[in-house]
Amino acid sequence: MRNDVIEIVQDVAAGIPALRPARPPATLDELVRVFRAVDEPLVGALRARLPEGRWVLDAVDGAVQFLQGLPQWCVTATLVRDGEPVLAVLHSPLLGETYSAERGGGAWRDGAPVGPSRKTDLSAAVVATSQPPAFPPQPAANALAGRKLPGVLDRVAAVRNLGPTSWQVADVAAGRLDLFWEYGQDAENLLGASLVAREAGAVVTAADGSPWHAGAPSFLAAGPGLHAAAVRVLG
């Protein structure tokens, strides 16, 4: 099934760049309206073509970047059973790359197995973060992120926000990033990516080290040698 889902996601994604408006939306209301006009038909097209099951779909993870004409966005499809992700595909048409994972079967980028960072020194780590979705607002999560960020900045080599949440987590799975964290609830973007990270061998928890689940108030994915240190900083 994984290869079939990859083909479907890549096929739908191929036409998305042409749907970007000529100019970025000028107001929040316009941004929401334009995005929904693009996103809803795409989600419908994905759902119609995917095999039967409960699918969590995001036609444009990184909607803000997409509407601004930036390249950092991707398409995600995650099959969920009993509340847990069992198959995930993330595709970036502009990068021409695809992450995928199956529960108990491993994680891949473009068909090659991936693995997380082998670093053990947090001071050498290149890390990433993101803010939770704005709808509905999560002001407490944003405030906590602001309080914790200075402590991270003091302890790592670099902090970045490289666009779509799911893709950044997948890049942790592949060792391109050493860890990723986020405060707030963001299950739509994290379910599939968490499967990719776990299957690759990264450690996935909440920021305080407790088990992560779809309703958890925070998220952390890290290479095994950095996870404990990250929890001490973030938890």
Side-chain angles (χ1 to χ4, degrees):
M1 182 194 291
R2 181 176 63 90
N3 288 334
D4 292 338
V5 174
I6 289 173
E7 183 176 347
I8 291 166
V9 170
Q10 290 177 341
D11 189 45
V12 171
I16 296 177
L19 301 177
R20 185 177 64 82
R23 292 182 295 180
T27 67
L28 179 60
D29 287 344
E30 184 185 1
L31 186 152
V32 172
R33 177 176 54 79
V34 170
F35 173 67
R36 286 177 174 168
V38 171
D39 182 69
E40 290 173 6
L42 290 169
V43 169
L46 282 168
R47 199 173 300 280
R49 294 182 58 181
L50 289 167
E52 183 177 348
R54 186 194 164 201
W55 291 92
V56 176
L57 304 173
D58 194 340
V60 189
D61 179 13
V64 172
Q65 293 89 252
F66 171 74
L67 294 175
Q68 290 291 127
L70 295 167
Q72 299 93 350
W73 57 273
C74 67
V75 182
T76 70
T78 306
L79 180 61
V80 177
R81 292 182 183 145
D82 300 322
E84 295 293 327
V86 297
L87 185 152
V89 172
L90 291 70
H91 176 62
S92 170
L94 298 187
L95 288 177
E97 294 181 344
T98 303
Y99 283 106
S100 62
E102 288 185 274
R103 186 168 67 182
W108 303 268
R109 184 177 64 231
D110 299 334
V114 293
S117 170
R118 296 177 294 170
K119 293 179 184 176
T120 58
D121 182 359
L122 198 60
S123 68
V126 177
V127 310
T129 188
S130 186
Q131 64 197 84
F135 303 102
Q138 300 187 53
N142 289 333
L144 181 57
R147 293 196 299 272
K148 293 291 187 178
L149 181 58
V152 181
L153 291 169
D154 287 341
R155 291 171 173 83
V156 302
V159 176
R160 299 289 183 264
N161 184 337
L162 299 174
T165 297
S166 62
W167 197 264
Q168 293 185 92
V169 176
D171 277 343
V172 172
R176 285 172 162 172
L177 292 169
D178 299 310
L179 67 89
F180 173 91
W181 85 97
E182 180 180 88
Y183 293 104
Q185 295 184 347
D186 193 5
E188 181 179 80
N189 290 325
L190 291 171
L191 273 169
S194 70
L195 179 67
V196 177
R198 283 173 171 151
E199 288 296 327
V203 182
V204 175
T205 64
D208 64 1
S210 62
W212 183 82
H213 53 85
S218 61
F219 177 89
L220 169 63
L226 295 172
H227 181 264
V231 169
R232 287 194 292 272
V233 174
L234 296 169

